[in-house]
Amino acid sequence: MKIAYLTDNLLGTKGNGVTSQALTWAKALRNNGIQVDLISSWSGIDAKDYDLFHLFGSGGVWYYDTAKALRNLEIPAVWSPICDDIINPKLQRLKSFVAFPKIQCFSYPYIRSKAYGIFDRIFVRSKYEADYLKIAYGADPGKMDLIPLAMSYDFELPVVPKENFCFHMSFLYQSRKNVIRLVEAAKKYNFQLVLAGTTGTEEEFAPLKNAIGDAPNIKMLGYVSEEEKLALYQKAKVFALPSISEGVGIVALDAAHFGCGIVVTQIGGPKEYYGRYGYQVDPYDIDSIGHSVLSAIENPQQPQVKKYVDEHYSQKKVTDMLIDSYKKVIRE
């Protein structure tokens, strides 16, 4: 099997979720003896050399045109749209009808809705994403395969006593990560909070820095090495992901694998990854965040949540699902 991967993340931004998902799957497939080539406009390929094309990203005209060209060549194509939208899907659906073909003027949702009809399969990461695409863009549920993301690690760490702190790691300055409300919850409910990740520019970081102030129970680490990150997973009793907008949140999935209790946003798809073992929060409510973090610290569910994610989201399990879907598309 020979697969071509394409993404719209032309700058290859470090940490970009689209690129990360594509690279993770490419590595896993290669480990299973499948050839995966990362294609760019400079590659000079012959499309007919490939059994299947897999496109990643939210997409627009380029996705529509690429899928149409591949269909004309009778080459199977699948799409991982990686849709993290939280705007009302019915409003998005109305936008998808905005088009003036005579003057070549189309709304972005219109192009996306047309593209969904051309691909052979759509790969979604959660039921939330599948339902959203159906309502917002009229995508056919019969053409969707739910391929969840796998945890990043396939090894265990030595078990050490957990410490009573809540860990969070992300692009800390991004408003969608909701870190300021997490900080306010830590201050109000007096739990220990450790923050790690990218802080952005001085201007971008200023609101979070001001929110933390001189709070003695909040530790700001900024960017950490891989070794430091693993040590934090190993020691933290809880990992919190109270995002306003989040596709999956691999960092939380990894934290669960290493024995952290999980506090997760009730918005979007992330909550689906923890069965009944994650504490769900209203990300706009500081009290909801604070109560849930305290509950997770005082009444930990680490063994259950770890067992659940290890059974459902191992790299082997997800890779097998991906390969099976590819084979079905190629046979069709």
Side-chain angles (χ1 to χ4, degrees):
M1 196 185 310
K2 188 175 179 181
I3 312 294
Y5 272 20
L6 296 89
T7 172
D8 63 352
N9 183 29
L10 299 178
L11 297 179
T13 311
K14 186 178 181 180
N16 176 274
V18 175
T19 301
S20 175
Q21 181 174 336
L23 292 176
T24 298
W25 281 0
K27 179 180 178 181
L29 291 166
R30 288 165 178 162
N31 289 339
N32 280 265
I34 295 173
Q35 181 176 338
V36 179
D37 293 342
L38 308 178
I39 305 302
S40 75
S41 58
W42 305 102
S43 301
I45 63 163
D46 183 345
K48 292 184 177 180
D49 288 340
Y50 292 90
D51 298 302
L52 180 144
F53 277 69
H54 190 157
L55 280 65
F56 294 81
S58 56
V61 175
W62 178 75
Y63 279 74
Y64 175 80
D65 289 343
T66 301
K68 192 164 59 173
L70 290 170
R71 170 156 289 193
N72 289 337
L73 292 170
E74 298 183 341
I75 301 172
V78 299
W79 186 14
S80 290
I82 309 181
C83 177
D84 298 341
D85 295 348
I86 59 172
I87 186 174
N88 188 309
K90 292 181 180 178
L91 175 60
Q92 200 78 322
R93 183 62 173 157
L94 289 175
K95 295 179 183 177
S96 73
F97 293 106
V98 178
F100 303 95
K102 289 185 178 180
I103 58 173
Q104 294 291 297
C105 182
F106 309 101
S107 70
Y108 180 76
Y110 172 85
I111 293 295
R112 287 194 71 175
S113 67
K114 292 298 182 184
Y116 282 116
I118 299 177
F119 284 89
D120 294 281
R121 302 296 292 174
I122 307 298
F123 288 178
V124 295
R125 303 158 298 168
S126 64
K127 184 179 182 299
Y128 170 86
E129 188 174 17
D131 290 343
Y132 193 95
L133 298 182
K134 174 185 174 182
I135 298 169
Y137 301 106
D140 180 1
K143 293 177 64 176
M144 296 183 196
D145 286 349
L146 203 169
I147 311 290
L149 297 194
M151 62 187 76
S152 305
Y153 304 97
D154 57 2
F155 60 82
E156 301 287 345
L157 292 171
V159 176
V160 301
K162 287 288 187 178
E163 300 176 13
N164 288 332
F165 71 89
C166 175
F167 178 38
H168 173 85
M169 183 172 66
S170 68
F171 289 98
L172 298 168
Y173 64 93
Q174 292 183 354
S175 59
R176 72 183 183 90
K177 297 297 184 181
N178 206 30
V179 184
I180 289 179
R181 286 193 183 90
L182 178 59
V183 164
E184 294 298 336
K187 292 166 75 172
K188 183 173 181 178
Y189 288 88
N190 197 35
F191 58 81
Q192 299 295 316
L193 176 63
V194 176
L195 301 172
T198 305
T199 56
T201 65
E202 186 175 337
E203 182 180 0
E204 289 170 329
F205 180 55
L208 178 56
K209 182 179 180 181
N210 292 336
I212 296 171
D214 58 358
N217 60 317
I218 300 175
K219 183 182 292 187
M220 167 59 69
L221 300 179
Y223 178 81
V224 295
S225 68
E226 179 68 10
E227 292 75 17
E228 291 170 317
K229 178 176 68 174
L230 290 175
L232 288 163
Y233 283 147
Q234 195 177 23
K235 296 175 183 177
K237 185 166 280 187
V238 174
F239 187 96
L241 186 77
S243 309
I244 293 168
S245 171
E246 191 78 57
V248 173
I250 287 295
V251 286
L253 195 59
D254 291 341
H257 169 62
F258 290 123
C260 297
I262 300 298
V263 173
V264 65
T265 178
Q266 67 184 23
I267 296 177
K271 61 183 181 292
E272 298 178 28
Y273 279 68
Y274 306 98
R276 57 189 177 89
Y277 302 113
Y279 292 85
Q280 295 181 29
V281 300
D282 176 353
Y284 295 102
D285 186 341
I286 290 170
D287 292 320
S288 176
I289 297 170
H291 282 304
S292 293
V293 171
L294 284 182
S295 294
I297 289 174
E298 295 168 1
N299 304 292
Q301 292 184 326
Q302 291 104 323
Q304 297 97 319
V305 74
K306 173 177 171 51
K307 181 180 178 182
Y308 186 86
V309 300
D310 284 356
E311 287 178 353
H312 290 81
Y313 308 111
S314 69
Q315 292 184 9
K316 181 182 186 311
K317 184 177 181 66
V318 172
T319 303
D320 287 347
M321 294 172 66
L322 186 61
I323 292 172
D324 286 345
S325 288
Y326 283 158
K327 288 179 177 178
K328 289 176 184 177
V329 172
I330 291 170
R331 283 200 300 268
E332 291 170 357

